[in-house]
Structures are given as C-alpha cells and as structure tokens.
Amino acid sequence: MKLKLDLDDLANDFFDNTRLAGIVAPLKSYQFCWHLNHLLHYDFRINNDIEIQLQKKRRDYYFSVFEYREPTGSLVHYLYNNQYDGEYLLPEFRHLDFLWLMKGDTVADTFFHQILESVKTISGVQLVMELTNEKIKNKGHLIF
C-alpha cells in the first residue's frame, strides 16, 4: 500500500480557523516587531525552528517567522517576512512585506479589525489588508 500526502488537505487543515493579514511596511522585520511589541504589548520573537525554506532556481531562500503566543487561550500570532533576497514567500502578493497569521483559536472580527487598525498607526506602514484563503495560491509556503 502506497501512502500519498494530500497537500490540499494539509493546507486546509493548517488554515482551518485562522485569520491572515498582509502588511506593506518597508521596515526591517526586527524594527516592525519592535513597533508591534511596543504598540500592542506583545512579545514577538523570532522562531528559527519554524523558519520557512524554499528552493528556487537551485538556491535556498529563508523566510523568517516571528511568533507570539497569547498568555491566555491558545491563540498564536505568526509574522512572516514575505521577501528574501529578491524572492517572495507568496509571489502572488509581491507588494506585501509581511504576513500576519493568527492561528489556534477563534479570532473575532472585532478583535481582528482592531489589530489591523492599530497596525495602520505605526509609522512606515502603508497598507494593512485581510487576505482570504481563496486569494492565496501558494498556501503551502506558509505551512511549517
């Protein structure tokens, strides 16, 4: 019997009960995280264990992922760098600098939109938008 890994099922399971935002902010990732931590009283930290590695054109590309776990509940925030050395984690969203995934617990619309509005107040942030699962062609790139 041969086992087959269904990537669509894997992606659907991973993205079940998540919210994703795209952010245009031409800042270094550590600077952007500092602003988020300061503004929202979060504690985003880089998590090298879940760094995303993609191979394109016989080269390796590494996309850093920052993580913050809510102290109460099971909600986890992941902030992905969307660009590394001229390549994109989600090429269909080349204009985005960061992707913010909220996973692990139900995220109410009011909470999600409150976060988006707060992020818009950060100096250097040009755009904050919600990304729906249907718009993402390369969902597998976000799975760690």
Side-chain angles (χ1 to χ4, degrees):
M1 181 169 99
K2 188 176 180 182
L3 295 176
K4 183 182 173 197
L5 181 63
D6 188 340
L7 295 178
D8 289 336
D9 282 347
L10 182 65
N12 288 336
D13 287 346
F14 183 85
F15 287 99
D16 189 40
N17 207 19
T18 63
R19 298 295 287 267
L20 184 64
I23 301 163
V24 176
L27 301 168
K28 300 281 186 194
S29 54
Y30 64 88
Q31 290 173 315
F32 186 59
C33 284
W34 182 89
H35 284 290
L36 291 176
N37 290 342
H38 184 73
L39 177 69
L40 302 170
H41 305 290
Y42 283 4
D43 191 22
F44 272 105
R45 301 215 178 239
I46 195 162
N47 186 338
N48 292 321
D49 294 337
I50 58 175
E51 177 179 70
I52 308 294
Q53 177 185 356
L54 296 180
Q55 284 191 325
K56 293 182 180 183
K57 304 171 192 164
R58 289 188 245 160
R59 287 190 57 203
D60 290 329
Y61 296 91
Y62 301 93
F63 299 90
S64 56
V65 181
F66 292 78
E67 179 181 31
Y68 169 66
R69 294 182 176 276
E70 294 268 345
T72 57
S74 56
L75 184 62
V76 184
H77 302 263
Y78 299 99
L79 188 71
Y80 298 78
N81 242 337
N82 190 40
Q83 194 266 347
Y84 176 81
D85 200 23
E87 284 295 330
Y88 296 89
L89 185 60
L90 294 182
E92 62 269 31
F93 295 109
R94 293 177 165 289
H95 62 286
L96 298 177
D97 297 303
F98 300 101
L99 306 161
W100 184 339
L101 178 72
M102 297 177 197
K103 177 178 174 50
D105 204 353
T106 303
V107 178
D109 285 341
T110 53
F111 175 76
F112 185 71
H113 292 293
Q114 185 179 23
I115 294 270
L116 299 185
E117 290 303 314
S118 295
V119 171
K120 288 178 184 177
T121 67
I122 295 174
S123 178
V125 171
Q126 298 170 358
L127 175 72
V128 181
M129 60 186 269
E130 181 171 9
L131 302 177
T132 58
N133 289 340
E134 300 81 41
K135 292 181 182 177
I136 304 170
K137 295 177 188 169
N138 296 289
K139 287 182 193 174
H141 291 182
L142 298 176
I143 298 173
F144 41 82

